[in-house]
Structure formats: C-alpha cells, structure tokens
Amino acid sequence: MALDAIRNLAIARIGRFLFSALLVGIVFVVAFSLAFGTDALVALGLPRDIAGPIITLLVIAACVYGLYWFATRMIDW
C-alpha cells in the first residue's frame, strides 16, 4: 500500500516535470522562430515592418496546425 503511494507520487512528479519541460520547449521554439525568422527575412531584404507580421502569421499558423494535429492524432477525436 505504501509502495503504491510512493510509486504514484514519483510518476506524478515525473509527469509534471515532462509537462513543464514540454511547455518551456514550446515557448522557446515560438520565441526563437519569431526572433530568428524576422531576422532571416530582414537579411533577405524585406523591411522589418513587413517581416515581423509575416513571421507572426506563419508562427500562428504553425501553432494552430499543431493544435489541430494534437487534437486529431494524439487525442483521437
């Protein structure tokens, strides 16, 4: 009985850690995509005023697609 409680607590802590790491990873991917994507388009000759909204729309589209993929493949609705 006590071992089950310890095992469940350990599994819950591992799950929370993995979830937190995944969230931090997603935030970093989005932040780096916005920063370096804008810089890449500026390096190609686009003005920063145009490059920022283009990258923002691309990142939002990728996030929406990721949510769609998660809902249809992982959750299996």
Side-chain angles (χ1 to χ4, degrees):
M1 189 67 138
L3 290 176
D4 288 336
I6 292 171
R7 185 187 56 157
N8 289 340
L9 181 64
I11 290 172
R13 286 187 179 179
I14 290 170
R16 276 189 233 123
F17 172 76
L18 290 175
F19 182 73
S20 299
L22 181 66
L23 276 176
V24 168
I26 289 171
V27 168
F28 276 117
V29 167
V30 169
F32 283 133
S33 297
L34 289 170
F36 293 119
T38 302
D39 288 343
L41 288 180
V42 168
L44 291 174
L46 281 157
R48 189 167 291 275
D49 295 342
I50 303 295
I54 289 173
I55 291 299
T56 303
L57 288 175
L58 289 174
V59 169
I60 289 171
C63 290
V64 169
Y65 179 74
L67 290 172
Y68 163 76
W69 183 84
F70 180 77
T72 57
R73 301 289 193 279
M74 298 298 286
I75 298 175
D76 195 27
W77 280 350

